[in-house]
C-alpha cells in the first residue's frame, strides 16, 4: 500500500527534524541514566560485603545515589518538556492539515459523517499517530538499552544472564503476542462507550421529541441495552488486561526468584557477589520493560496503520482525488503570538476587501448541473440539470418551485457550496472557476434555509468577527426587521441566544441570519426561503427594507431569493421556475402565469392567504 504506515512515518519523521534530534539526544540521556543505579548498587554492596563499613565509604555511596537521582530528575523533566513540544507539533500539524482540507471542500459537503465521529478522528487517531512517531525513538533506545544491560550482565555472569533473561524475554513476547486480543477488546469497549455517550447526547438533545411521542419507556430500554453491551465489553477488556498484567509482573517476580536460586550456588563459591545480585535485580526491570514495550509497539504499529487510513478517509470524504500528501504536508504552525491574517487582524480584512474583483454588473450561470448520486446523471435523479439564468445589477430574481424541486441545491451550486458537475458561472463576464472563493462577502452574502446560530450573544452572531461600525450594525438590524425584537430582550444585543439559538423564535433566528448577511454589505444577496417563518406584516417590511436602503439604494443591491410566497413573487423582476431540477419556465410573473401550468399551480396553492392575483386578467 502506497500510503501505509511506513510512508506516514517517513514523512512525519522528516517534520521538525531538529526537534526530533534534540528529543532523541535528551532521551538517550534518560535511558542511559537508567543503567547507572544498578552499577552503583553493585559497587556499594560489594564494598559492604568486603567488610568496609567506615562512614566515608557509606557517605560516598549515599551521595552517588543522590547525585544520580537528581540528575535523572533533571534529565527526565527536560526530556518530558522537549517531548511534549515535539508531540504537540506532530498532532497540531496533522489536525491543521485535516482541518484545512475540510475547509477547502464545498461547504455543503465538508463532512461526510457526524461531527462526533469527525472529532474522534481529530482526537483519538491523531493521538495514536503522535505516539506512533514519538515511540520510534523509544523503541530504538529500548533496544540499545536492553542490549547494553545484557552485555554488562554477561560480563558479570554469562550463565545466569542467559539462563534467566532469554526465557524471560521469550515469555513476555509470547504473552504480548497472545494478547492481541487485548487490542480487539479495547476497540470493542471504546466503540461501546462511544455508542453510550452518543445516545446520551442524542437523548438530551431530543427530550421534547421523546416526550411528545410518549417514548420514554422505549428510549430507556434502548439505553439499557447499550449500557449492558458496554458493561460486557468493559468487563472483557478489564479481565484480559488483568491477565496480561499478572503474566508480566509474575514473570518479573519469577525472574528474581530464578536469579536467587541460580545465584545462591555461585555466591557460595564466591563467583557471584551480593552486588552482582543487586545489579541483576535492577536490570531485570530494564530487560522486561524492553520486551513489554516491544510487544506494545508492535500492536501500536498495527493500530497506527488503521488510524492513518481513518485520517485520510476523513480528509477525502467522498472525493478520492484528494491527495494523501496533504495529511503529512509540512505546514508552518503558529503556536505563539498573534495568528497571521484573517480575523486576528481586522485591518487586513477591510484592506483586502474587494480582492481585485470589480463590483457586480451581472452574474451569469449557464447549464449548471449537479447530481447527489450516480443515478442522478439520469434526467430525473435528485439534483439540478442544465439550469441557466442571468442576474443584472439591482434586479430581484426569485427561484421558485415545489418542495424538493432543487431550489436550495441550485443556490449551493452557484455559491460553490456544492461542486457543480458541469456548467459555467461568470461574474461581469469573467469566468469563475471556484465560486466558493468569489461568492463570499463582500461580493455576495447568503442566508441559508436553515441558518446556524452559535450559543453567543446576538451581536456576536451577527458580526462573527466582521469589522464594522455600530451604525452599520444598527442599519443591518433595521433592514432585517430585528430592531423591535432586540429591544424586547433583557440584554438587547448582548442577549445570549442559547445553543443554536433555542431562545429565539424561528422567525428571529432567520432575521438574525439575515442581519448577519446584510451587515456584510455585499453586492449580491442570496436568501433561501427567508420569510417562511414570518407574519405578513413583518414579511412586508423585510422585503421592503431588504432590497434597498438610504445607504444602499435599490439599484446597487442585487437579490436572488428562493420563495414561493406571493409578496415575493410579485416583487420579482424575473422568476426562475424549477421542476424536478430543471428550469420549467423563466420570465416575469405575469408571463409565467399565462404560459406555465406549473406556475399557475404554485400560485393557486400560495393563495391560501386569499390574496388576489397580481393582475385581474390572470
Ligand atoms: N444531501 C443530499 N443527498 C441526497 N439527496 C439530496 C440531498 N439534499 C437534497 N437532496 C435531494 O435533492 C432534491 C432537491 O433538494 P433541494 O433541497 O434542493 O429542494 P428544494 O427545492 O430546496 O426544496 P424545499 O422547498 O423543501 O426547500 C430533493 O429531491 C432532495 O431529496
Ligand atoms: Mg430548499
Amino acid at each position: 500500500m502506497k500510503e501505509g504506515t511506513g510512508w506516514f512515518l517517513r514523512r512525519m519523521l522528516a517534520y521538525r527534524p531538529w526537534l526530533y534530534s534534540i528529543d532523541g539526544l535528551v532521551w538517550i540521556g534518560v535511558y542511559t541514566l537508567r543503567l547507572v543505579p544498578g552499577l552503583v548498587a553493585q559497587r556499594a554492596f560489594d564494598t559492604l560485603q568486603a567488610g568496609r563499613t567506615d562512614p566515608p565509604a557509606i557517605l560516598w555511596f549515599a551521595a552517588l545515589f543522590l547525585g544520580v537521582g537528581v540528575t535523572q530528575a533533571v534529565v527526565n523533566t527536560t526530556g518530558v518538556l522537549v517531548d511534549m513540544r515535539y508531540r504537540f507539533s506532530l498532532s497540531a500539524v496533522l489536525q491543521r492539515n485535516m482541518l484545512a482540507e475540510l475547509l477547502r471542500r464545498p461547504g455543503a459537503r465538508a463532512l461526510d459523517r457526524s461531527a462526533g465521529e469527525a472529532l474522534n478522528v481529530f482526537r483519538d487517531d491523531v493521538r495514536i499517530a503522535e505516539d506512533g512517531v514519538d515511540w520510534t525513538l523509544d523503541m530504538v533506545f529500548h533496544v540499545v538499552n536492553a542490549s547494553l544491560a545484557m552485555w554488562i550482565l554477561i560480563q558479570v555472569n554469562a550463565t545466569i544472564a542467559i539462563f534467566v533473561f532469554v526465557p524471560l524475554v521469550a515469555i513476555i513476547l509470547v504473552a504480548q503476542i497472545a494478547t492481541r486480543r487485548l487490542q480487539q477488546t479495547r476497540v470493542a469497549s471504546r466503540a461501546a462507550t462511544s455508542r453510550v455517550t452518543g445516545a446520551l447526547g442524542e437523548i438530551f438533545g431530543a427530550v421534547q421529541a421523546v416526550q411528545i411521542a410518549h417514548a420514554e419507556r422505549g428510549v430507556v430500554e434502548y439505553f439499557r441495552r447499550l449500557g449492558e453491551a458496554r458493561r460486557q465489553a468493559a468487563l472483557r477488556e478489564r479481565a484480559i488486561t488483568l491477565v496480561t498484567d499478572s503474566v508480566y509482573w509474575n514473570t518479573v517476580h519469577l525472574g528474581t526468584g530464578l536469579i536467587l536460586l541460580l545465584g545462591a550456588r555461585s555466591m557460595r563459591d564466591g563467583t557471584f557477589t551480593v552486588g552482582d545480585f543487586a545489579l541483576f535485580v535492577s536490570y531485570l526491570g530494564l530487560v522486561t520493560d524492553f520486551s513489554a514495550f516491544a510487544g506494545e509497539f508492535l500492536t501500536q504499529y498495527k493500530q497506527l496503520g488503521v488510524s492513518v487510513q481513518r485520517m485520510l478517509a476523513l480528509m477525502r470524504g467522498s472525493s478520492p482525488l484528494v491527495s494523501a500528501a496533504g495529511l503529512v504536508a509540512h505546514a508552518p504552525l503558529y503556536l505563539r503570538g498573534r495568528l497571521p491574517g484573517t480575523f486576528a487582524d481586522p485591518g487586513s480584512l477591510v484592506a483586502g476587501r474587494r480582492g481585485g474583483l470589480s463590483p457586480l454588473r451581472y452574474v451569469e450561470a449557464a447549464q449548471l448541473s449537479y447530481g447527489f448520486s450516480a443515478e442522478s446523471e439520469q434526467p430525473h435523479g435528485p439534483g439540478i440539470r442544465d439550469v441557466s439564468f442571468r442576474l443584472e445589477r439591482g434586479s430581484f430574481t426569485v427561484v421558485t418551485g415545489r418542495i424538493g424541486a432543487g431550489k436550495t441545491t441550485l443556490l449551493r451550486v452557484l455559491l460553490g457550496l456544492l461542486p457543480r458537475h458541469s456548467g459555467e458561472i461568470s461574474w461581469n463576464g469573467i469566468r469563475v472557476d471556484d465560486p466558493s472563493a468569489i461568492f463570499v462577502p463582500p461580493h455576495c452574502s447568503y442566508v441559508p434555509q436553515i441558518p446556524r446560530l452559535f450559543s453567543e450573544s446576538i451581536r456576536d452572531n451577527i458580526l462573527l468577527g466582521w469589522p464594522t461600525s455600530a451604525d452599520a450594525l444598527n442599519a443591518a438590524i433595521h433592514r432585517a426587521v430585528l430592531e423591535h425584537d432586540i429591544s424586547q430582550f433583557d440584554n438587547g444585543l448582548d442577549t445570549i441566544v442559547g445553543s443554536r439559538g433555542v431562545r429565539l423564535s424561528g422567525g428571529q433566528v432567520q432575521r438574525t441570519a439575515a442581519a448577519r448577511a446584510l451587515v456584510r454589505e455585499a453586492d449580491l444577496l442570496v436568501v433561501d426561503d427567508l420569510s417562511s417563518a414570518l407574519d405578513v406584516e413583518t414579511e412586508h417590511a423585510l422585503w421592503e427594507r431588504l432590497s434597498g436602503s438610504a445607504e444602499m439604494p435599490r439599484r446597487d443591491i442585487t437579490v436572488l431569493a428562493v420563495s414561493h410566497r406571493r409578496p415575493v413573487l410579485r416583487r420579482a423582476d424575473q422568476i426562475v421556475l424549477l421542476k424536478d431540477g430543471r428550469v420549467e419556465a423563466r420570465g416575469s410573473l405575469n408571463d409565467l402565469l399565462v404560459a406555465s401550468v406549473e406556475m399557475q399551480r404554485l400560485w393557486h396553492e400560495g393563495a391560501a392567504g386569499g390574496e388576489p392575483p397580481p393582475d385581474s386578467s390572470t
Side-chain angles (χ1 to χ4, degrees), residues 66-349:
L66 200 69
V68 172
V70 170
T71 317
Q72 271 189 318
V74 171
V75 175
N76 283 8
T77 311
T78 316
V80 169
L81 289 177
V82 176
D83 203 45
M84 259 174 7
R85 204 179 152 76
Y86 180 56
R87 280 172 160 269
F88 191 76
S89 310
L90 292 176
S91 33
V93 81
L94 291 174
Q95 289 169 334
R96 181 219 164 271
N97 288 344
M98 285 194 289
L99 187 64
E101 190 52 50
L102 293 186
L103 293 178
R104 246 194 303 279
R105 227 177 276 161
R109 286 220 323 220
L111 276 186
D112 61 344
R113 59 195 74 196
S114 81
E117 284 171 288
L119 281 177
N120 273 343
V121 176
F122 269 83
R123 189 189 53 209
D124 299 340
D125 292 303
V126 164
R127 179 65 200 244
I128 289 168
E130 176 191 307
D131 280 345
V133 178
D134 193 52
W135 286 6
T136 54
L137 280 177
D138 297 73
M139 193 61 236
V140 172
F141 297 149
H142 264 296
V143 170
V144 172
N145 221 38
S147 312
L148 270 177
M150 260 327 261
W151 181 75
I152 294 175
L153 292 179
I154 288 171
Q155 303 297 308
V156 175
N157 191 321
T159 325
I160 300 183
I162 289 167
F163 270 91
V164 173
F165 285 105
V166 171
L168 255 183
V169 172
I171 287 173
I172 292 179
L173 271 181
V174 168
Q176 284 289 339
I177 293 165
T179 52
R180 284 281 153 77
R181 264 190 69 90
L182 178 61
Q183 199 49 39
Q184 293 164 11
T185 58
R186 249 182 222 160
V187 171
S189 163
R190 218 189 298 157
T193 304
S194 76
R195 269 194 292 276
V196 168
T197 44
L200 260 187
E202 285 193 335
I203 293 169
F204 282 155
V207 171
Q208 180 178 304
V210 172
Q211 283 176 344
I212 57 181
H214 197 23
E216 290 88 347
R217 233 172 219 284
V219 170
V220 169
E221 177 54 30
Y222 168 69
F223 192 62
R224 208 190 58 75
R225 275 203 307 277
L226 292 184
E228 177 59 22
R230 180 199 189 184
R231 189 184 68 80
Q232 290 183 5
L235 202 63
R236 214 168 292 135
E237 184 201 356
R238 189 84 194 115
I240 293 188
T241 308
L242 286 176
V243 169
T244 319
D245 283 356
S246 71
V247 168
Y248 175 75
W249 285 111
N250 284 320
T251 313
V252 173
H253 294 145
L254 275 176
T256 317
L258 267 178
I259 297 173
L260 213 51
L261 283 177
L262 286 174
R265 247 187 80 92
S266 321
M267 266 187 195
R268 220 178 306 142
D269 55 36
T271 52
F272 197 67
T273 65
V274 177
D276 295 341
F277 179 74
L279 181 70
F280 266 72
V281 172
S282 159
Y283 282 12
L284 192 66
L286 291 184
V287 182
T288 46
D289 264 358
F290 155 72
S291 39
F293 186 81
E296 209 175 331
F297 185 79
L298 290 178
T299 331
Q300 152 78 19
Y301 195 80
K302 285 238 156 80
Q303 216 178 346
L304 176 60
V306 176
S307 287
V308 169
Q309 294 314 315
R310 280 165 54 101
M311 291 189 288
L312 287 174
L314 175 70
M315 270 178 60
R316 287 188 166 137
S318 47
S319 48
L321 292 179
V322 172
S323 152
L327 179 63
V328 289
H330 296 183
L333 297 175
Y334 303 95
L335 301 181
R336 265 181 226 183
R338 279 164 80 88
L339 295 174
T342 63
F343 290 175
D345 178 12
S348 72
L349 196 65

